[in-house]
Amino acid sequence: MNITKEQIDELNAVVKVAITKDDYQDKVDAILKDYRKQANIPGFRKGQVPLGLIKKQYGKAVLVDEVNKLIQDNLNKYLTEEKLDVLGNPLPKQQDNFDWDKENFDFEFELGLAPSFEVPLKTKKAITHYKIVADKKMIDEQVERIQRQYGKLVQKSEVGKKDELTGTFKNEEEGIDNKATLELDKVANKKALNALLGKKVGDTVVLNTKGLLKEEYLLAGVLGITSEKAKELTIEVEFTIEEINEREPAELNQELFDKLFGPDTVKSEKELKERIKEDSEKQFEQQSDQKLLNDVTEYFIENTKFELPSGFLTRWIQLTGEKPLTEEQASEEYAKSEKGLRYQLIEGKIINDNDIQIQFDELKEFAKGFIKSQMAQFGQLNPQEEELDNIATRVLSNQDEVKRLSEQLMSQKLISLYKEKVNLKTKEVTYENFVKEVYG
């Protein structure tokens, strides 16, 4: 067998594979002899079918199969040995009137080659890296939320501004008949709020749903309907009050601190606020880092210029998809995927140039950290190391989970690299201003 490469241009090449009878005949003969031993053909005893008859029935199929295996194995080996960085897979060139009755065969394959380019990490333009801080207003609001969450309900005879009302919402036409709790500090409509103030158990108030609550999802909850139905819903509902409760805030004492963080971890209101600030800013850091990763990615895509073998890739999409595509459809698919392909190449270049690797031990530690944070959300703050180790082992036995966690860990490593190498400007903002600036 002989394999040669013809370079068309920097991004395209043709590989020619020449196969002679000596390359495949021994293997074909051995397979046909095995077929003969197993063949059951009427008129012949098992194992006594003439070899000529076996060749006539199966020879062409076995030949085609063995030649294709030879091509696949040796072409892949050639690409590896020659260190050819190809995009997609080799595409066989169409040969009219190909004759499988010949002894020697010639095949040609088109290659799309990855471009050569550099990615300077020291960007010309400074990219904003947000440092999100928890300001006094946010910390005080969080303290108030904690006090309300862990406070106790005190029954009242008359509705006040911060009370929680339990009652039934009704509208016969819309089929609404739902018992729910309405928190008055979530009511956005002043007219509705004024209508409720001063009412007593047993009173019924008519409320308009338009702009009733501060968040759209809350309306679906109190009316017992879907979010889709709650959207743009403008009707009047009758609300009959069955309970009036005031939530008396919990005291900021050691009992509450221990309930929140474990025994003697936090010992004062000042330490509570410091802990809230620290935990909040740790969570904000994840959002800030994701924003940084997105912005650096966009910068590299926009500013790293290289050509792609677009003609080859379009044909590859057209011929190798689940369904056959027209040339126009393939061109549209290529246009959709080009940006993603460019970043895959850029990211691969950055990873290779900076020798970023993921070892199994660090992936396992990363998985354990992820598991620990999930357990903390359900109140398990101090899991045993052995328990974490066992769960991580089970998680990493799933290849989909390995892929997902590896991608997350690689993103973390890239963020660390960008923080060190990319030209960044730090901007300190509150979370509220971060949301306004980033998401509008």
Side-chain angles (χ1 to χ4, degrees):
M1 178 183 293
N2 186 37
I3 302 179
T4 57
K5 177 170 71 77
E6 178 187 347
Q7 194 77 29
I8 306 301
D9 56 39
E10 286 187 0
L11 300 174
N12 294 276
V14 172
V15 168
K16 298 180 179 181
V17 181
I19 296 178
T20 66
K21 186 177 180 179
D22 290 341
D23 295 320
Y24 62 79
Q25 194 61 55
D26 288 349
K27 185 68 174 173
V28 169
D29 288 344
I31 291 172
L32 291 174
K33 284 176 183 176
D34 283 342
Y35 274 27
R36 185 187 182 209
K37 293 175 186 175
Q38 303 299 325
N40 284 311
I41 296 178
F44 299 96
R45 283 188 299 167
K46 186 176 180 179
Q48 299 301 312
V49 180
L51 189 57
L53 185 57
I54 295 294
K55 285 183 179 179
K56 186 175 181 181
Q57 273 196 295
Y58 303 109
K60 183 70 66 65
V62 172
L63 169 67
V64 171
D65 191 43
E66 286 308 307
V67 168
N68 281 328
K69 285 180 184 175
L70 269 174
I71 291 170
Q72 186 175 355
D73 293 344
N74 287 278
L75 186 54
N76 288 338
K77 185 180 176 184
Y78 175 82
L79 296 177
T80 302
E81 289 176 347
E82 295 295 315
K83 297 179 180 176
L84 293 175
D85 192 0
V86 299
L87 302 177
N89 293 313
L91 281 180
K93 291 186 76 173
Q94 185 67 36
Q95 297 185 58
D96 296 329
N97 304 317
F98 188 84
D99 186 4
W100 281 103
D101 290 324
K102 294 193 304 181
E103 292 186 343
N104 301 327
F105 308 104
D106 294 307
F107 300 91
E108 293 186 356
F109 295 86
E110 294 180 70
L111 301 182
L113 304 177
S116 229
F117 59 92
E118 297 299 323
V119 187
L121 291 180
K122 197 69 176 176
T123 56
K124 292 180 181 178
K125 174 188 171 185
I127 296 172
T128 301
H129 181 213
Y130 291 94
K131 177 176 173 54
I132 308 171
V133 295
D135 59 355
K136 183 178 183 301
K137 179 187 172 189
M138 171 178 277
I139 294 168
D140 288 343
E141 286 175 351
Q142 180 64 9
V143 170
E144 188 178 330
R145 275 195 292 273
I146 289 170
Q147 287 184 278
R148 282 177 61 81
Q149 182 182 346
Y150 289 90
K152 62 180 179 181
L153 291 176
V154 178
Q155 282 194 350
K156 291 181 62 181
S157 59
E158 191 175 287
V159 177
K161 282 188 177 180
K162 291 188 177 181
D163 292 343
E164 297 179 10
L165 313 181
T166 299
T168 301
F169 290 87
K170 287 188 177 182
N171 180 294
E172 287 186 16
E173 288 182 11
E174 295 293 334
I176 294 170
D177 187 350
N178 189 58
K179 185 172 180 177
T181 297
L182 178 67
E183 297 176 37
L184 289 196
D185 61 356
K186 300 290 195 306
V187 175
N189 189 299
K190 287 184 180 178
K191 185 178 177 182
L193 185 59
N194 289 331
L196 289 163
L197 291 176
K199 293 295 185 289
K200 297 179 180 179
V201 171
D203 288 346
T204 297
V205 181
V206 176
L207 303 171
N208 193 300
T209 59
K210 186 176 181 181
L212 177 62
L213 301 175
K214 292 178 180 178
E215 300 291 342
E216 198 174 74
Y217 75 91
L218 294 171
L219 183 64
V222 297
L223 298 184
I225 58 177
T226 64
S227 297
E228 284 300 313
K229 187 174 180 180
K231 264 185 180 177
E232 307 298 328
L233 184 68
T234 305
I235 60 170
E236 288 187 338
V237 292
E238 291 183 348
F239 178 55
T240 301
I241 302 170
E242 297 169 24
E243 286 182 36
I244 304 169
N245 293 303
E246 180 182 11
R247 191 170 287 274
E248 191 176 279
E251 286 186 42
L252 296 176
N253 55 24
Q254 196 59 48
E255 182 184 352
L256 177 62
F257 302 151
D258 290 350
K259 193 180 291 184
L260 290 169
F261 303 107
D264 295 329
T265 305
V266 170
K267 297 181 179 179
S268 66
E269 184 178 342
K270 181 184 176 185
E271 287 184 16
L272 171 65
K273 290 183 176 181
E274 287 172 354
R275 179 64 181 262
I276 290 171
K277 180 178 174 64
E278 180 187 337
D279 290 349
S280 298
E281 290 180 355
K282 196 176 291 183
Q283 290 182 343
F284 295 154
E285 189 177 352
Q286 294 175 2
Q287 294 184 56
S288 171
D289 284 351
Q290 187 59 52
K291 172 64 176 166
L292 176 64
L293 182 63
N294 293 343
D295 288 347
V296 173
T297 297
E298 286 297 325
Y299 177 90
F300 285 145
I301 291 172
E302 292 298 320
N303 293 277
T304 307
K305 304 298 182 185
F306 54 81
E307 295 296 321
L308 289 169
S310 54
F312 168 84
L313 290 170
T314 302
R315 288 194 299 280
W316 182 71
I317 289 171
Q318 182 181 6
L319 298 172
T320 60
E322 290 182 8
K323 297 179 181 178
L325 300 177
T326 65
E327 192 172 325
E328 184 180 354
Q329 288 172 326
S331 295
E332 288 174 2
E333 287 300 314
Y334 172 71
K336 289 177 190 174
S337 61
E338 183 182 358
K339 186 175 181 180
L341 174 58
R342 284 184 177 277
Y343 186 66
Q344 281 180 25
L345 292 170
I346 292 168
E347 185 181 69
K349 176 73 172 168
I350 293 169
I351 289 169
N352 287 333
D353 286 354
N354 293 276
D355 194 26
I356 303 175
Q357 298 178 22
I358 293 177
Q359 306 296 337
F360 182 78
D361 286 348
E362 63 180 337
L363 182 63
K364 189 171 183 179
E365 285 304 309
F366 180 73
K368 284 160 69 173
F370 182 75
I371 293 161
K372 191 173 181 180
S373 67
Q374 285 191 315
M375 293 173 77
Q377 292 177 20
F378 296 96
Q380 292 178 264
L381 300 175
N382 295 300
Q384 296 295 314
E385 187 65 22
E386 184 180 355
E387 183 182 10
L388 285 173
D389 204 69
N390 290 336
I391 296 172
T393 300
R394 287 201 302 273
V395 168
L396 294 176
S397 67
N398 182 318
Q399 288 306 306
D400 289 337
E401 286 298 309
V402 170
K403 182 175 182 292
R404 183 178 67 84
L405 290 168
S406 295
E407 288 172 353
Q408 290 181 5
L409 180 54
M410 181 56 74
S411 291
Q412 279 197 6
K413 285 174 173 278
L414 286 170
I415 289 167
S416 297
L417 177 71
Y418 296 157
K419 285 179 178 179
E420 181 187 347
K421 301 286 187 181
V422 171
N423 181 15
L424 302 179
K425 58 178 180 183
T426 301
K427 184 173 183 179
E428 193 169 288
V429 291
T430 64
Y431 183 71
E432 186 178 353
N433 288 336
F434 173 78
V435 171
K436 285 179 184 175
E437 192 165 324
V438 172
Y439 305 108

